[in-house]
């Protein structure tokens, strides 16, 4: 495989929408998502009213890459080899002794290397993106409440979380003003959304003028997609994209057969007939990558058009686009922005840190005091040996399935289209594909214990 990656070499450029093209004001959107679930649980399902109260300090619990064991209420952070680096029961962190007793140094019971392990199952749930993350804090606090009140185990609250998702985010919720989330975004989009910088709009037009086919593939429904795009890009946003696919139901969009997930036409945001194939560009719903690729062959006149896809979710975007469709993938990783937002914890005096945290909630894309870095963590050495640093499972997947990782599209928008990015590959270092720089914590760590 070539050492470098260039947009100029791609025929097709695809984008996820939420947290990729559309950046959210994370502190505000996180609170809104949390409240949409908490109010449902309290008002509709009779949960403890204490769930409605969240302090700035509570947000430190949020860290991408955690898994929730749905039966025992434990949250875990995995090393690249599947062992457990840190764990909590609800929001209560396990001590090193309790961690060793509960998990030892063996693989987590649900761990399967790489492709064998789903992100979601009936037994666990991985928190992989900023839509999910407020739910991690809520579920942890639900576990605290249930443990305190009746010591319930195995836990059975997940069905209520799923009901909350359905109530707030079902396909008709936007039109019907159901729940809290959509009505609030409609009321004040500027509170929750960042408009696309001019540099990004210009870059999209530049790609289009260079003859690239531009696609938008989002799991959001068409009505919400339209609101977002008009706000961040302008009312003429449809002129930028040759193909728009909403309610794409990723990752199934990439993994399902055409017969399982046909494309559907849309009429006034309602899904209509299922299509036997995709014959022309336009706006569609659901669908599958196989039929899409057939259309791209026709549009480009090439037997194997080269596609790159930008997305923020390893579960929904990056892993399936690479694994099932063999597309180039660009991971939008706001944790790389976190380095600019806040210096590493070790450089801050303890008393200053406490004051900072007390006055303002921790940004979701910065390091958690409870969980440590998203990228690496330390493993206690055996007797008379030093602690060693290891990659997290999340970090390992970045270098395995991303072509490159960037903090935002804005970070590359002013580069020439033929700029040569160093890609992640087995021939390069584990930090090679981060642009413009690797995470500080990886740069500062020196040599890591590679598994």
């Amino acid at each position: 495989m070539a050492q470098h990656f260039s947009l100029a070499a791609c025929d097709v450029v695809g984008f996820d929408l939420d947290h990729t093209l559309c950046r959210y004001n994370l502190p505000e959107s996180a609170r809104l998502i949390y409240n949409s679930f908490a109010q449902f649980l309290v008002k509709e399902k009779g949960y403890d009213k204490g769930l409605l109260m969240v302090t700035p300090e509570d947000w430190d619990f949020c860290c991408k890459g955690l898994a929730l064991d749905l039966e025992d209420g434990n949250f875990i952070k995995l090393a690249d080899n599947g062992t457990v680096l840190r764990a909590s029961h609800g929001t209560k962190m396990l001590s090193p002794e309790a961690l060793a007793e509960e998990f030892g140094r063996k693989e987590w019971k649900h761990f399967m290397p790489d492709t064998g392990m789903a992100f979601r199952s009936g037994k666990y749930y991985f928190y992989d993106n900023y839509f999910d993350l407020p739910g991690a804090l809520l579920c942890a606090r639900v576990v605290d409440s249930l443990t305190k009140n009746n010591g319930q185990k195995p836990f059975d609250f997940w069905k209520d979380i799923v009901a909350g998702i359905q109530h707030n985010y079902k396909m008709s919720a936007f039109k019907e003003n159901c729940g809290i989330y959509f009505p609030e975004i409609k009321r004040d989009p500027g509170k929750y959304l960042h408009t696309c910088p001019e540099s990004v709009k210009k870059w999209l037009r530049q790609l289009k003028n260079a003859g690239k086919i531009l696609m938008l593939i989002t799991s959001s429904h068409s009505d919400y997609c339209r609101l977002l795009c008009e706000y961040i890009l302008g009312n003429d946003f449809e002129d930028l994209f040759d193909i728009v696919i909403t309610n794409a139901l990723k990752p199934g969009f990439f993994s399902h057969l055409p017969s399982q997930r046909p494309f559907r036409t849309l009429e006034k945001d309602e899904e209509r007939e299922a299509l036997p194939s995709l014959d022309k560009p336009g706006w569609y719903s659901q669908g599958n990558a196989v039929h899409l690729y057939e259309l791209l062959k026709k549009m480009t006149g090439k037997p194997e058009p080269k596609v790159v896809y930008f997305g923020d979710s390893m579960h929904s975007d990056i892993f399936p686009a690479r694994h099932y469709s063999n597309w180039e993938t660009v991971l939008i990783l706001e944790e790389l922005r976190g380095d600019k937002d806040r210096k590493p914890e070790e450089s801050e005096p303890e008393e200053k840190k406490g004051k900072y945290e007390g006055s303002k909630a921790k940004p979701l894309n910065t390091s958690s005091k409870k969980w440590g870095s998203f990228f690496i963590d330390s493993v206690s050495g055996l007797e008379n040996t030093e602690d060693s640093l290891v990659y997290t499972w999340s970090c390992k997947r970045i270098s395995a399935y991303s072509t490159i990782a960037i903090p935002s599209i804005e970070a590359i928008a002013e580069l020439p289209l033929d700029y040569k990015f160093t890609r992640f590959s087995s021939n390069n270092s584990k930090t090679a594909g981060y642009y413009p720089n690797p995470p500080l914590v990886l740069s500062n760590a020196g040599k890591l214990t590679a598994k």
Side-chain angles (χ1 to χ4, degrees):
M1 186 180 277
Q3 187 93 349
H4 295 98
F5 162 75
S6 165
L7 285 167
C10 298
D11 304 297
V12 183
V13 186
F15 300 93
D16 171 47
L17 180 56
D18 297 284
H19 301 284
T20 300
L21 261 182
C22 177
R23 283 191 54 235
Y24 285 75
N25 178 3
L26 290 180
E28 294 295 346
S29 64
R31 272 195 290 271
L32 178 59
I33 293 165
Y34 180 94
N35 288 336
S36 72
F37 285 110
Q39 296 218 21
F40 176 82
L41 291 183
V42 171
K43 291 177 179 176
E44 304 296 327
K45 299 293 181 180
Y47 280 72
D48 190 325
K49 287 180 181 172
L51 291 175
L52 300 174
M53 300 296 295
V54 187
T55 68
E57 291 80 10
D58 289 334
W59 290 104
D60 182 64
F61 185 82
C62 292
C63 176
K64 267 180 17 185
L66 302 182
L68 165 60
D69 188 312
L70 300 177
E71 292 178 340
D72 63 23
N74 287 339
F75 285 79
I76 61 152
K77 178 184 181 183
L78 286 175
D80 57 358
N81 64 355
T83 55
V84 178
L85 291 167
R86 303 190 193 201
S88 71
H89 182 70
T91 64
K92 309 294 185 289
M93 300 303 294
L94 270 60
S95 67
E97 296 74 26
L99 187 73
E101 187 177 332
E102 179 81 19
F103 300 103
R105 298 204 172 196
K106 58 185 185 293
E107 286 183 357
W108 182 47
K109 61 186 176 184
H110 298 303
F111 182 78
M112 287 185 278
D114 296 326
T115 57
M117 188 161 71
F119 263 70
R120 282 146 206 190
S121 82
K123 296 185 180 296
Y124 60 86
Y125 189 95
F126 270 97
Y127 290 91
D128 158 66
N129 60 68
Y130 292 120
F131 262 139
D132 281 349
L133 219 41
L137 175 58
L138 179 68
C139 288
R141 298 183 78 208
V142 165
V143 170
D144 289 347
S145 172
L146 294 175
T147 302
K148 179 182 172 186
N149 293 331
N150 54 15
Q152 181 189 348
K153 198 177 179 182
F155 291 94
D156 192 29
F157 62 85
W158 191 250
K159 65 183 187 305
D160 297 328
I161 299 292
V162 172
I165 295 171
Q166 178 65 11
H167 174 70
N168 281 284
Y169 302 101
K170 63 187 176 186
M171 193 165 184
S172 60
F174 186 93
K175 188 196 294 186
E176 295 169 1
N177 277 326
C178 238
I180 290 172
Y181 183 83
F182 290 129
E184 180 60 17
I185 296 274
K186 285 184 195 177
R187 186 189 68 79
D188 191 1
K191 182 177 179 181
Y192 302 100
L193 309 174
H194 294 299
T195 56
C196 269
E198 279 305 316
S199 61
V200 172
K201 295 178 189 176
K202 185 179 173 186
W203 177 77
L204 291 170
R205 288 191 292 270
Q206 189 184 356
L207 287 167
K208 187 98 172 162
N209 293 338
K212 312 298 180 192
I213 292 169
L214 264 57
M215 310 185 297
L216 191 60
I217 308 175
T218 173
S219 291
S220 289
H221 298 303
S222 55
D223 43 15
Y224 185 53
C225 170
R226 187 173 286 105
L227 178 145
L228 294 182
C229 288
E230 286 179 354
Y231 183 81
I232 67 168
L233 291 168
N235 293 340
D236 59 349
F237 77 91
E238 286 186 67
D239 296 343
L240 288 169
F241 300 103
D242 300 277
I243 299 166
V244 176
I245 300 165
T246 50
N247 194 27
L249 302 169
K250 297 176 292 181
F253 179 86
F254 296 102
S255 62
H256 282 36
L257 297 170
S259 58
Q260 296 172 294
R261 189 70 62 73
F263 279 97
R264 293 183 178 275
T265 57
L266 278 164
E267 196 176 307
K268 293 182 180 173
D269 295 318
E270 296 287 337
E271 290 184 345
R272 296 298 189 218
E273 62 177 314
L275 301 172
S277 63
L278 202 59
D279 297 324
K280 60 183 179 183
W283 190 317
Y284 300 95
S285 194
Q286 297 199 35
N288 61 86
V290 174
H291 279 170
L292 172 62
Y293 198 63
E294 290 303 314
L295 174 61
L296 295 176
K297 289 180 189 178
K298 192 190 298 185
M299 290 174 71
T300 59
K302 294 184 177 183
E304 293 185 350
K306 188 169 181 179
V307 184
V308 59
Y309 187 63
F310 288 70
D312 69 295
S313 169
M314 182 58 68
H315 165 69
S316 300
D317 301 318
I318 303 303
F319 170 73
R322 171 62 58 83
H323 180 69
Y324 297 107
S325 299
N326 200 30
W327 291 358
E328 300 279 16
T329 52
V330 178
L331 175 64
I332 305 296
L333 192 62
E334 289 212 31
E335 281 68 20
L336 296 175
R337 294 177 66 89
D339 280 351
K340 283 196 295 185
D341 296 344
R342 191 165 169 219
K343 294 294 180 224
E345 292 174 348
E346 55 267 27
S347 67
E348 258 181 82
E350 209 52 51
E351 63 275 10
K352 196 173 174 188
K353 247 183 351 188
K355 188 176 173 187
Y356 174 91
E357 286 296 329
S359 61
K360 193 178 176 187
K362 174 193 85 72
L364 291 190
N365 60 342
T366 58
S367 227
S368 158
K369 286 195 282 187
K370 282 190 170 179
W371 292 104
S373 169
F374 172 71
F375 300 98
I376 59 170
D377 214 333
S378 59
V379 175
S380 300
L382 300 170
E383 276 186 58
N384 303 321
T385 63
E386 290 182 11
D387 289 3
S388 56
L389 288 171
V390 296
Y391 292 104
T392 61
W393 187 67
S394 300
C395 185
K396 180 183 179 182
R397 287 173 77 84
I398 292 171
S399 56
Y401 299 111
S402 314
T403 303
I404 59 172
I406 60 177
S408 65
I409 291 175
E410 190 180 358
I412 65 166
E414 294 185 17
L415 297 174
L417 295 185
D418 60 359
Y419 181 88
K420 288 182 166 54
F421 296 93
T422 304
R423 63 165 69 234
F424 288 113
S425 78
S426 53
N427 302 329
N428 293 332
S429 77
K430 294 265 188 170
T431 60
Y434 292 105
Y435 179 90
N437 299 300
L440 277 174
V441 70
L442 290 185
S443 302
N444 297 339
K447 192 175 179 185
L448 285 160
T449 306
K451 293 284 188 285

